[in-house]
Each structure stands twice: as structure tokens, then as C-alpha cells.
């Protein structure tokens, strides 16, 4: 695996590869890598000729400065893990490489309702920052495919909207959420949980599964209200939301046909955890 820090060198490398007909797969990350990230690298290795993984803790996507300063960083362990993976290139740019004109004058992206709902509502500016960094990284890496995790479901829809509106010819592949054996969605932020919090954290996934089983065609308001009540006993919830899986528009009364996603964001101490499960159409209901 080659480690590259400068955008110009990365672009030179990428140009050589694409000129010889190689397809680039790209996995953008913020590091503190875990099996969820490494699974994206593995899938890219199966589908593309060259796999580029980036590690960049993007300052523009943190609406909470405390979250930014406390974000786990352990580059040596990350390099060790990637050396054993199917990654061919690790790109670790500085802030100056990604934002050569500084962090003051940044462009704005039209993300429609996605920016007002759930993560958009509770983390103002977060998705603008995600688009700012993704746009810059994609222009440097020029991948044929980008691999992202379903754990950040809304982020996948936001990036997909950005790719479409900027006419990027990139396939975004949304990959399954990788979980600990007790169901907790793997996340770099889990490193910040105390032992007690770590023991409590899998409750989020249990809650999602139990609520998903209880969701039926008709009014699901009471299921959602009960879920938020139960979550509030141990967590500080931002939301428990049932939504159309394609648009994230909230759905309370379900027709049984619309594919759904059930999403949660909640704090355990000062660590914010998110997770979701998808709920497909009921078999036998008329498809779109
Ligand atoms: P992050 O480093 O948290 O910005 O995540 C980088 C990429 O890894 C994003 O596309 C995430 O959705 C994905 N990812 C993070 N955790 C998981 C997980 N548990 N399962 C699958 N993908 C994940």
C-alpha cells in the first residue's frame, strides 16, 4: 500500500492508473478504522482494480467543536489495518490540501428537505460540510465507485443527491452496517464510551429491531412514541423517526408498500450514537 499526503501526487498516480484502464474504488473515512470501514475496503477490492482509502477528519462537518477535538485519531493502527487489507492507496491529506483557499469561503449545496430532517435538523451545517469534503475528495480521486455505509443512511442519500446535481459519473454503493456481536453498530465514536456506557449502547439496536417488528400498515404513531419513551430511560434521544427509505420524508401512517427506514440518534453521556434498520414493503402488496 502506498501512502500519499499531497493531492498533486495522488492525482498523478490516479491519472496513470485510469490511463491504463484501471477502475478506482474509493472509501472516504475519518479514521479510527474498524471492521465496518474495512468491509467497505474489501468490497471495493472485489469490484475495482485500485482501492483508495482516505483518512481525513473533516473540520467543516462538525457542528459541535467538542466532537471535533475529541474525535478519535490513531493513524498508526489505521495504517497497520489497511496494510493487511485490499487497499492500494491511503490518502491522508492535511486541511490545507483539502481546503487550499481556507475554511471561510465555502460553497453551498442545495440538499432540499434532507437538510431539514433528522441529522440535518439536529446537526446544522453537518451535511454542507460532508458535501464540501466529498466534492473535493472526489475531484482528486476521480473514482468509478465510492463505497459508503448504511449506518450513515442519511449521509448516503445526501451524497447521492450531490453526485446527481454536480453530474459526477460515480456509482455510490451503499454497503451493510457492520455490527458488534451484541448488535451495536460499529463506530469510531464507540471508542469514547465508558465500560458502563458500552454495556448500555446495544439497547439502541434492540429497540430498532423490536420497533421494526411492531410496525404494520396503518398508524405507527404509538409504536414510535413507545420507542422514544423507552430510549429516554437511559439515553438522551434526538429522534426516533420512521421515514420513506428513498426520500426520508417522515411516514407515520404506512401503506405497507413504501419501503421504510427506522432511524435513531441519541446521546449516551456526551457520545452521540446513530443507527437505523430498513423495513421493506410487505410481500404481496402492490409494488411501485
Ligand atoms: P466515518 O469514518 O465514520 O466517516 O465513516 C466512513 C465510512 O464508513 C462512511 O461511509 C460510514 O458510513 C462507513 N461506516 C462507518 N461505520 C460503519 C459500520 N458500522 N458499518 C458499515 N459502514 C460503516
Amino acid at each position: 500500500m502506498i501512502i500519499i499526503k499531497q493531492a498533486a501526487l495522488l492525482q498523478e498516480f490516479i491519472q496513470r492508473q485510469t490511463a491504463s484502464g484501471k477502475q478506482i474504488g474509493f472509501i472516504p473515512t475519518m479514521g479510527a478504522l474498524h471492521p465496518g470501514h474495512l468491509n467497505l475496503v474489501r468490497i471495493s477490492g472485489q469490484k475495482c482494480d485500485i482501492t483508495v482509502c482516505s483518512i481525513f477528519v473533516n473540520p467543516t462537518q462538525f457542528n459541535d467543536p467538542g466532537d471535533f477535538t475529541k474525535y478519535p485519531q490513531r493513524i498508526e493502527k489505521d495504517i497497520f489495518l489497511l496494510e493487511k487489507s485490499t487497499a492500494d492507496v491511503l490518502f491522508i491529506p492535511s486541511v490545507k490540501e483539502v481546503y487550499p483557499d481556507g475554511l471561510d469561503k465555502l460553497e453551498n449545496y442545495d440538499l432540499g428537505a434532507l437538510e431539514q430532517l433528522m441529522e440535518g435538523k439536529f446537526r446544522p451545517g453537518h451535511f454542507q460540510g460532508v458535501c464540501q469534503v466529498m466534492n473535493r475528495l472526489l475531484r482528486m480521486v476521480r473514482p468509478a465507485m465510492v463505497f459508503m455505509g448504511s449506518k450513515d443512511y442519511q449521509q448516503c442519500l445526501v451524497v447521492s443527491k450531490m453526485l446527481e446535481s454536480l453530474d459526477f459519473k460515480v456509482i455510490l454503493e451503499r454497503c451493510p452496517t457492520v455490527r458488534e456481536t451484541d448488535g451495536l453498530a460499529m463506530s469510531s465514536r464507540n471508542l469514547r464510551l465508558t465500560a458502563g456506557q458500552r454495556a448500555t449502547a446495544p439497547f439502541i439496536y434492540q429497540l430498532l429491531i423490536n420497533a421494526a417488528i411492531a410496525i404494520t400498515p396503518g398508524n405507527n404513531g404509538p409504536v414510535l412514541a413507545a420507542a422514544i419513551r423507552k430510549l429516554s430511560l437511559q439515553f438522551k434521544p434526538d429522534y426516533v423517526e420512521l421515514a420513506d427509505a428513498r426520500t426520508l420524508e417522515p411516514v407515520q401512517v404506512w401503506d405497507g408498500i413504501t419501503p421504510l427506514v427506522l432511524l435513531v440518534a441519541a446521546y449516551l453521556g456526551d457520545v452521540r450514537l446513530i443507527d437505523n434498520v430498513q423495513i421493506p414493503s410487505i410481500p404481496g402488496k402492490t409494488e411501485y
Side-chain angles (χ1 to χ4, degrees):
M1 184 179 72
I2 316 169
I3 300 176
I4 301 180
K5 293 185 176 175
Q6 288 169 24
L9 292 178
L10 177 76
Q11 281 165 307
E12 207 181 296
F13 172 85
I14 298 284
Q15 263 159 22
R16 269 205 312 277
Q17 301 304 320
T18 45
S20 60
K22 301 262 172 66
Q23 290 223 317
I24 312 287
F26 179 42
I27 301 97
T29 82
M30 297 204 296
L33 300 180
H34 53 65
H37 298 114
L38 296 171
N39 192 43
L40 303 178
V41 173
R42 186 184 61 79
I43 297 170
S44 172
Q46 287 171 347
K47 301 202 168 188
C48 298
D49 305 307
I50 300 284
T51 292
V52 177
C53 177
S54 67
I55 294 180
F56 179 65
V57 184
N58 174 35
T60 67
Q61 73 184 70
F62 286 85
N63 53 309
D64 170 3
D67 190 28
F68 177 55
T69 49
K70 286 186 224 152
Y71 199 85
Q73 300 211 38
R74 43 178 204 183
I75 190 69
E76 257 141 50
K77 178 153 188 214
D78 290 347
I79 292 171
F80 177 76
L81 291 171
L82 286 171
E83 285 283 9
K84 294 191 294 178
S85 78
T86 52
D88 299 291
V89 177
L90 168 60
F91 181 46
I92 26 179
S94 63
V95 173
K96 186 83 188 139
E97 283 290 320
V98 179
Y99 296 99
D101 300 326
L103 299 173
D104 301 334
K105 290 180 233 84
L106 299 167
E107 61 287 353
N108 196 68
Y109 296 84
D110 178 9
L111 302 174
L114 283 174
E115 208 174 359
Q116 317 304 328
L117 299 162
M118 293 170 263
E119 292 302 282
K121 177 173 161 192
F122 285 93
R123 300 188 65 190
H126 168 62
F127 285 135
Q128 289 298 324
V130 168
C131 289
Q132 276 141 11
V133 74
M134 282 300 289
N135 187 3
R136 286 164 172 76
L137 291 174
L138 288 168
R139 283 175 202 284
M140 294 173 192
V141 181
R142 292 276 164 203
M145 298 185 76
V146 57
F147 299 87
M148 302 185 78
S150 287
K151 193 195 76 105
D152 300 281
Y153 193 93
Q154 190 170 1
Q155 173 170 271
C156 291
L157 295 196
V158 162
V159 171
S160 174
K161 189 169 170 74
M162 186 203 80
L163 295 179
E164 212 181 287
S165 64
L166 298 183
D167 211 19
F168 270 107
K169 305 278 179 280
V170 183
I171 296 167
L172 191 166
E173 183 146 325
R174 201 172 67 218
C175 304
T177 300
V178 176
R179 300 180 178 283
E180 304 284 357
T181 47
D182 57 15
L184 176 65
M186 290 189 179
S187 165
S188 308
R189 287 189 178 85
N190 295 349
L191 290 170
R192 293 185 44 221
L193 296 171
T194 64
Q197 289 168 337
R198 174 63 190 81
T200 305
F203 179 77
I204 290 189
Y205 184 56
Q206 289 156 20
L207 184 95
L208 279 171
I209 294 294
N210 290 333
I213 291 168
I215 283 162
T216 50
N219 182 16
N220 289 287
V223 176
L224 298 175
I228 213 140
R229 247 192 338 268
K230 285 182 205 153
L231 190 63
S232 307
L233 297 175
Q234 291 171 291
F235 297 75
K236 191 172 111 18
D238 272 351
Y239 58 82
V240 176
E241 196 81 72
L242 186 62
D244 184 321
R246 300 155 304 181
T247 60
L248 286 192
E249 288 295 336
V251 171
Q252 190 154 325
V253 179
W254 188 30
D255 56 10
I257 299 167
T258 307
L260 299 177
V261 58
L262 180 63
L263 308 103
V264 169
Y267 282 91
L268 200 46
D270 68 346
V271 184
R272 191 170 182 277
L273 301 172
I274 60 169
D275 201 354
N276 66 83
V277 293
Q278 287 178 253
I279 303 168
S281 315
I282 293 181
K285 286 268 182 188
T286 314
E287 295 290 337
Y288 283 94

